[in-house]
Amino acid sequence: MSHVVNAKATTESPMQELFAPIRAELVAVEQALRDELHSDAPFVDELLQYGCLLGGKRLRPALLLMTAKAVGTMTADHIKLAAVVEMIHTATLVHDDILDEADMRRHLATVNSRWDNQTSVLLGDYLFTHAFYLSSTLDSTYACRTIGEATNTVCEGELRQVGNRGNFGLTEAEYFRIIGAKTAALCACCCQLGAHYAGADEETVARLSQFGFDLGVAFQIADDVLDLVGDESDTGKSLGTDLEKQKATLPIIHMLSQVSGREKAQMLELLDTESPSTQTRSQLAEWLDRYQSIAYTQQVARDRAERARMALEPLPDSPARNVLEMITHFVVSRSH
Amino acid sequence: MSHVVNAKATTESPMQELFAPIRAELVAVEQALRDELHSDAPFVDELLQYGCLLGGKRLRPALLLMTAKAVGTMTADHIKLAAVVEMIHTATLVHDDILDEADMRRHLATVNSRWDNQTSVLLGDYLFTHAFYLSSTLDSTYACRTIGEATNTVCEGELRQVGNRGNFGLTEAEYFRIIGAKTAALCACCCQLGAHYAGADEETVARLSQFGFDLGVAFQIADDVLDLVGDESDTGKSLGTDLEKQKATLPIIHMLSQVSGREKAQMLELLDTESPSTQTRSQLAEWLDRYQSIAYTQQVARDRAERARMALEPLPDSPARNVLEMITHFVVSRSH
């Protein structure tokens, strides 16, 4: 998940061009968000308007709607649920933006200049609770249960990640468990809801849920690579915020698994700082390059994306199905 | 709502002695909280254990259970729902404890010494989402809808309050709207759920919901008085945190309504600070005393508590009904 909250709704990304088959539905989702998120208190209303714009890419609503289109009939419930998952995603973004005491000291300039921590907490809570309320207006408890479970899993994953700050002994298995919870669970939820409310049979719903999960895992691994190597190259020139946050991501876990003894001790010593120097960064980049840890991680992401793609094979050919397939390529080939 | 988070589960308050008719059910709620809130990740588990203790008084579960007992049959759903409302209450407490940049500078000593802001945000989110998940495991969407709506109203009320920081032109009507949303809505929700799931008819459910609402309003008004005058006296010797947070509460609104011209301007000038001096505090206390603003506010709270009590009159006589009645007296006569 992004750690920087920006209003990016106006930029059209290559991914959004893929959304053509659901353009009308996405417009309806924007309208639903505006209809739901307003207040007669000007301060609250301004915040909610801002909240409408934060999510930006609308990836999660698109996944939900595209899945529906790929497996059955689109309904009014899908529009509601797409608004729900976007509210939840936005709530997590807003809450990601809350600053710690420690961050405050180090990065005073990053403090959200418009509002304070308390307001950010409450805006996120408002979005969470409104999302739950909206999902409870559907006929059965299915949506509430699926969304409640997925969002709780997201929080548990985020807490696990916080609990493993600075733990560079993190195993690959634990890394996968964390990203499966914090990122993939909500993607799985989107696809599951899209398929279920389109009238798909249980086996198809489960298949699409697994598709969403694998897609989310691939997306997060790719995101973790980008945090290390950014746009610039594959050699790790722009080591990013995960290191500052003392997060062990897959490239680092792989690098550490390739060595032992004194070199490993050196690596761990270099990683043990929240403000790595330029020298530290370039040393780490050199190691990542030497042990092909970026290439390894990119391959893992591609394999996972391919597993997602294969889950689509039994679906009938359709523009929506083709877009879902393209998304599996897109998430592991993007450069931002 | 309290702005200080302490583990107070072990202290037996006079209010808790009233809970005798639902002692067994409250024990079951504690067990439900422990059963629901755990993790195989030690860091997460420790946090959740801590979360189990935070709410302390268990007033909201008690309201839900006592209402059920007063109007119909207690069920397993009630235990679940009592755990749900306690998780939600605890989530709001944990999120109240998140510190602002401004607070950080002024009150460094108040920073939660165990965990940081990010962890507090995530623990609160975990409790919210788990509460929603748990309520979705009931048969119908009734609980999800009632809880989703009430919690969203709580957040809206808190945001309205933040938007009115420093606004000492706040009207009584707007003050009532804020406390109705931030405090009374959840109390109403507790009583509504208790009555509905006990099999009460719609009119009784609506009556008990109104009872909870009025009780919550009375409770919050009394709380706002206590913030100004504390345990010490009725003359305002220990002016509290609401002034520091630039919150206009009923005694202040009343005081300002009693004067005009130069004296009002003086009052507004004195109120316009986040760190009132001892001199400022004693001047405000003198005015509150002169215009009988504390006495006025206490009377408003008592009237509202009486309205709550009257809503109970049509109920059949029972120990639970009597306790609900005693609670209406208790909330406006407590000194802490």
Side-chain angles (χ1 to χ4, degrees):
Chain A
M1 279 176 210
S2 167
H3 298 283
V4 182
V5 172
N6 284 314
K8 348 168 211 188
T10 53
T11 52
E12 177 88 345
S13 73
M15 179 108 73
Q16 282 175 295
E17 287 169 26
L18 291 178
F19 296 165
I22 51 162
R23 188 68 69 207
E25 288 84 357
L26 282 173
V27 170
V29 172
E30 294 303 315
Q31 188 58 48
L33 287 169
R34 279 193 299 273
D35 289 349
E36 292 294 329
L37 301 174
H38 59 81
S39 166
D40 62 3
F43 172 78
V44 183
D45 199 57
E46 189 194 350
L47 271 172
L48 296 178
Q49 296 311 308
Y50 188 70
C52 280
L53 298 174
L54 283 173
K57 294 194 295 283
R58 308 303 194 217
L59 176 59
R60 287 149 194 85
L63 263 183
L64 191 151
L65 298 168
M66 203 72 80
T67 304
K69 206 142 216 170
V71 304
T73 311
M74 186 81 78
T75 69
D77 284 349
H78 286 103
I79 306 298
K80 259 191 197 180
L81 291 169
V84 163
V85 295
E86 186 62 14
M87 284 180 209
I88 287 167
H89 172 59
T90 306
T92 64
L93 287 183
V94 171
H95 279 181
D96 263 1
D97 201 34
I98 311 278
L99 293 160
D100 287 331
E101 193 197 349
D103 287 330
M104 211 77 76
R105 293 206 202 93
R106 287 202 318 276
H107 304 296
L108 199 60
T110 68
V111 174
N112 184 316
S113 59
R114 293 186 65 157
W115 294 290
D116 53 20
N117 277 349
Q118 198 193 354
T119 306
S120 300
V121 170
L122 291 173
L123 174 58
D125 289 352
Y126 184 100
L127 292 167
F128 265 130
T129 55
H130 200 89
F132 285 114
Y133 168 69
L134 189 55
S135 64
S136 76
T137 63
L138 271 65
D139 283 342
S140 76
T141 58
Y142 186 89
C144 291
R145 211 163 55 246
T146 307
I147 290 164
E149 198 165 14
T151 50
N152 196 227
T153 300
V154 169
C155 296
E156 214 253 352
E158 297 258 18
L159 281 171
R160 272 177 191 268
Q161 183 165 275
V162 168
N164 281 293
R165 252 187 229 149
N167 173 19
F168 289 101
L170 196 74
T171 63
E172 264 200 30
E174 180 68 2
Y175 167 79
F176 277 106
R177 180 151 182 191
I178 288 172
I179 67 171
K182 76 166 186 164
T183 307
L186 191 56
C187 296
C189 166
C190 291
C191 297
Q192 180 180 338
L193 291 171
H196 174 86
Y197 284 92
D201 59 72
E202 270 188 45
E203 194 254 319
T204 305
V205 172
R207 168 183 294 278
L208 269 299
S209 174
Q210 187 63 45
F211 161 81
F213 187 85
D214 286 331
L215 186 74
V217 169
F219 175 90
Q220 187 59 57
I221 298 173
D223 214 52
D224 289 347
V225 168
L226 288 173
D227 186 79
L228 280 175
V229 303
D231 290 333
E232 296 169 280
S233 75
D234 283 2
T235 58
K237 272 182 194 150
S238 61
L239 296 168
T241 56
D242 287 344
L243 286 180
E244 291 173 13
K245 297 202 166 211
Q246 299 278 287
K247 261 189 236 173
T249 57
L250 191 51
I252 301 290
I253 294 167
H254 178 266
M255 179 185 90
L256 289 165
S257 74
Q258 297 302 298
V259 295
S260 59
R262 222 185 72 193
E263 195 171 30
K264 186 166 183 172
Q266 282 177 340
M267 285 179 182
L268 289 171
E269 198 178 330
L270 276 195
L271 287 166
D272 185 25
T273 172
E274 290 179 8
S275 41
S277 65
T278 310
Q279 206 183 355
T280 294
R281 287 164 189 270
S282 78
Q283 175 63 72
L284 287 170
E286 194 193 309
W287 277 326
L288 285 167
D289 194 38
R290 185 187 312 159
Y291 296 107
Q292 299 185 26
S293 301
I294 298 296
Y296 166 82
T297 306
Q298 285 171 329
Q299 189 56 47
V300 173
R302 279 194 298 269
D303 290 348
R304 191 57 82 111
E306 172 62 10
R307 196 157 107 185
R309 194 197 60 73
M310 282 166 60
L312 301 172
E313 282 183 351
L315 300 186
D317 191 37
S318 73
R321 182 200 166 289
N322 293 343
V323 170
L324 289 176
E325 187 165 329
M326 280 188 273
I327 292 175
T328 65
H329 298 300
F330 193 90
V331 293
V332 288
S333 61
R334 70 210 162 90
S335 58
H336 60 278
Chain B
M1 280 177 209
S2 168
H3 299 281
V4 183
V5 173
N6 284 314
K8 352 168 210 191
T10 51
T11 52
E12 178 89 346
S13 74
M15 180 109 72
Q16 282 175 297
E17 286 169 26
L18 292 179
F19 297 165
I22 50 162
R23 188 68 69 205
E25 289 84 357
L26 282 172
V27 170
V29 172
E30 293 303 315
Q31 189 57 49
L33 287 169
R34 278 193 301 273
D35 289 348
E36 292 293 329
L37 302 175
H38 59 81
S39 166
D40 62 2
F43 171 78
V44 183
D45 199 57
E46 189 193 351
L47 271 172
L48 295 178
Q49 297 310 310
Y50 188 69
C52 282
L53 298 175
L54 282 173
K57 293 193 296 281
R58 308 302 193 217
L59 176 59
R60 288 148 194 85
L63 264 183
L64 191 152
L65 298 168
M66 204 71 81
T67 304
K69 206 142 218 171
V71 305
T73 312
M74 187 81 77
T75 69
D77 284 349
H78 285 103
I79 306 299
K80 259 191 196 180
L81 289 169
V84 163
V85 296
E86 186 63 13
M87 284 181 209
I88 286 168
H89 172 60
T90 306
T92 65
L93 287 184
V94 170
H95 279 181
D96 264 0
D97 201 34
I98 310 280
L99 293 160
D100 287 330
E101 194 197 348
D103 286 331
M104 212 77 75
R105 292 205 201 93
R106 288 202 316 277
H107 303 297
L108 200 59
T110 68
V111 174
N112 184 314
S113 60
R114 293 185 65 157
W115 294 290
D116 54 20
N117 277 348
Q118 198 194 353
T119 306
S120 301
V121 170
L122 290 173
L123 175 58
D125 289 352
Y126 185 100
L127 292 166
F128 265 131
T129 55
H130 200 89
F132 285 114
Y133 168 69
L134 190 55
S135 64
S136 76
T137 62
L138 271 63
D139 283 342
S140 76
T141 58
Y142 186 90
C144 291
R145 212 164 54 245
T146 307
I147 290 164
E149 198 165 13
T151 50
N152 196 228
T153 300
V154 170
C155 296
E156 214 254 351
E158 298 259 18
L159 280 171
R160 274 178 189 268
Q161 183 165 274
V162 168
N164 282 293
R165 254 189 228 146
N167 173 21
F168 289 101
L170 196 75
T171 64
E172 264 200 30
E174 180 68 1
Y175 167 80
F176 277 106
R177 179 149 182 192
I178 288 171
I179 67 171
K182 76 166 188 164
T183 307
L186 191 57
C187 295
C189 167
C190 291
C191 297
Q192 180 180 338
L193 291 171
H196 173 86
Y197 285 91
D201 59 71
E202 270 187 45
E203 194 255 319
T204 306
V205 172
R207 167 183 295 278
L208 269 299
S209 174
Q210 187 63 45
F211 162 80
F213 187 86
D214 286 330
L215 186 73
V217 169
F219 175 88
Q220 187 59 56
I221 297 173
D223 214 51
D224 289 346
V225 169
L226 288 172
D227 186 79
L228 279 174
V229 303
D231 289 334
E232 295 168 281
S233 75
D234 283 0
T235 58
K237 272 180 196 154
S238 60
L239 297 168
T241 57
D242 287 343
L243 286 180
E244 291 173 15
K245 297 202 166 211
Q246 298 278 288
K247 259 189 238 173
T249 57
L250 192 51
I252 301 291
I253 293 168
H254 177 266
M255 178 186 91
L256 289 165
S257 74
Q258 298 302 297
V259 295
S260 59
R262 222 185 72 190
E263 195 171 31
K264 186 165 182 172
Q266 283 176 339
M267 285 179 183
L268 290 171
E269 198 179 331
L270 275 195
L271 288 165
D272 186 25
T273 172
E274 290 180 8
S275 41
S277 66
T278 310
Q279 205 182 354
T280 294
R281 287 164 189 270
S282 78
Q283 174 63 72
L284 287 171
E286 195 192 309
W287 277 325
L288 285 167
D289 195 37
R290 185 186 312 160
Y291 297 106
Q292 300 184 25
S293 300
I294 298 297
Y296 165 82
T297 305
Q298 285 171 329
Q299 190 55 48
V300 172
R302 278 194 298 269
D303 290 349
R304 190 57 81 113
E306 172 62 9
R307 197 157 104 184
R309 193 197 60 72
M310 281 166 60
L312 301 172
E313 283 183 350
L315 300 186
D317 191 38
S318 73
R321 182 199 165 290
N322 294 343
V323 171
L324 289 175
E325 186 165 330
M326 280 188 272
I327 291 175
T328 67
H329 298 300
F330 193 90
V331 293
V332 289
S333 62
R334 70 211 162 90
S335 59
H336 60 278

